Amino acid sequence: MSIHEIKGKGVNRARVVCDGCGREEVVTCNYLHRPGRVWVPDAGQINRKMTGQGWAEVKGKLHCPACEAKRKATGMTKTTTAPAAKPAEALRQPSREQRREIVDMLREVYDPEAERYRRNDTDATVADVLGVMPGWVAEIREAFFGPDGGNEGIEAATERLAALEHEIRAISDLAGKQQEAASKKLAEVSAMRAELGRIKGAVGPRALRAAGVK
């Protein structure tokens, strides 16, 4: 891909050269910091700008609109557009400085002996604070500190939940026993009412009124 930096003060720019005919374009762009204090044009940003203007990236080479039209007309290899760069972006790794920051923070928030995070921290919270990918934190934590054993907040909540479940079971057992006792009392009342009805039928109303039974 023919992208060349343009040195000098002012707006950051780069020179883009067609790998087919040599046509040149100058575009504004960001510059990325590379190891060794080197700054290079942001190829991804430039590529998106050029493809938006009709250029195409083919096997790592840039073709201007005219060369791209000729390539399609002659049935050459299928064009690879900007979205094809996503797999490479997904494989990017943290810089040395980012790795150091992740390690330093893990030393503060992860308990290697308990194999869990302290308080309510997780891979995601560490990544959010440092502005990095959670997968980077998980990889470094797994390699140098320990497994993802949750955190103190999760463990405390789990213990509290277990205690509440125990209390609920105890209350449910007590309620069941009380319901059983109430059912027995109701059965006794029903039996007594039935016996009273039988007596009333056998003795007769007059005798019951004389005895004061209603």
Side-chain angles (χ1 to χ4, degrees):
M1 185 182 298
S2 299
I3 297 176
H4 306 280
E5 65 176 308
I6 296 178
K7 299 181 178 180
K9 298 181 179 180
V11 178
N12 291 333
R13 297 175 298 163
R15 184 163 52 88
V16 183
V17 181
C18 173
D19 290 295
C21 65
R23 171 181 168 181
E24 295 186 6
E25 294 280 355
V26 175
V27 296
T28 59
C29 64
N30 296 327
Y31 272 63
L32 303 177
H33 190 208
R34 293 288 181 259
R37 297 183 178 179
V38 176
W39 291 86
V40 299
D42 186 342
Q45 182 189 45
I46 294 172
N47 183 58
R48 290 190 292 273
K49 283 190 173 184
M50 300 313 294
T51 53
Q53 297 176 17
W55 288 55
E57 180 192 357
V58 183
K59 292 186 176 180
K61 296 183 180 296
L62 279 176
H63 288 187
C64 69
C67 290
E68 174 62 7
K70 292 179 183 179
R71 187 192 69 82
K72 288 183 176 180
T74 54
M76 294 176 64
T77 307
K78 184 179 179 181
T79 301
T80 302
T81 56
K86 288 184 178 180
E89 293 174 0
L91 295 176
R92 63 191 181 94
Q93 296 296 316
S95 65
R96 180 179 298 177
E97 178 65 17
Q98 288 172 323
R99 287 181 179 275
R100 184 188 65 78
E101 290 177 346
I102 292 172
V103 169
D104 288 345
M105 189 164 184
L106 284 173
R107 285 173 178 165
E108 296 179 8
V109 302
Y110 188 87
D111 185 349
E113 295 183 1
E115 295 187 335
R116 68 183 180 191
Y117 277 100
R118 299 184 177 93
R119 296 177 293 280
N120 295 319
D121 285 305
T122 64
D123 292 341
T125 61
V126 172
D128 185 58
V129 170
L130 298 179
V132 299
M133 297 176 64
W136 296 351
V137 178
E139 181 181 357
I140 293 174
R141 186 253 310 140
E142 190 74 30
F144 301 105
F145 291 86
D148 184 6
N151 57 42
E152 293 177 352
I154 292 176
E155 182 171 335
T158 301
E159 292 177 354
R160 178 56 180 160
L161 178 60
L164 288 173
E165 289 176 343
H166 179 73
E167 291 178 14
I168 291 172
R169 284 194 297 268
I171 293 172
S172 179
D173 291 343
L174 178 60
K177 292 177 180 179
Q178 291 177 338
Q179 180 65 34
E180 183 179 355
S183 296
K184 290 181 178 179
K185 293 295 182 181
L186 286 173
E188 291 178 7
V189 170
S190 297
M192 290 178 67
R193 288 184 181 278
E195 179 64 17
L196 181 59
R198 185 185 66 78
I199 294 173
K200 284 182 178 181
V203 174
R206 288 185 179 181
L208 289 174
R209 282 197 296 270
V213 178
K214 298 181 179 181

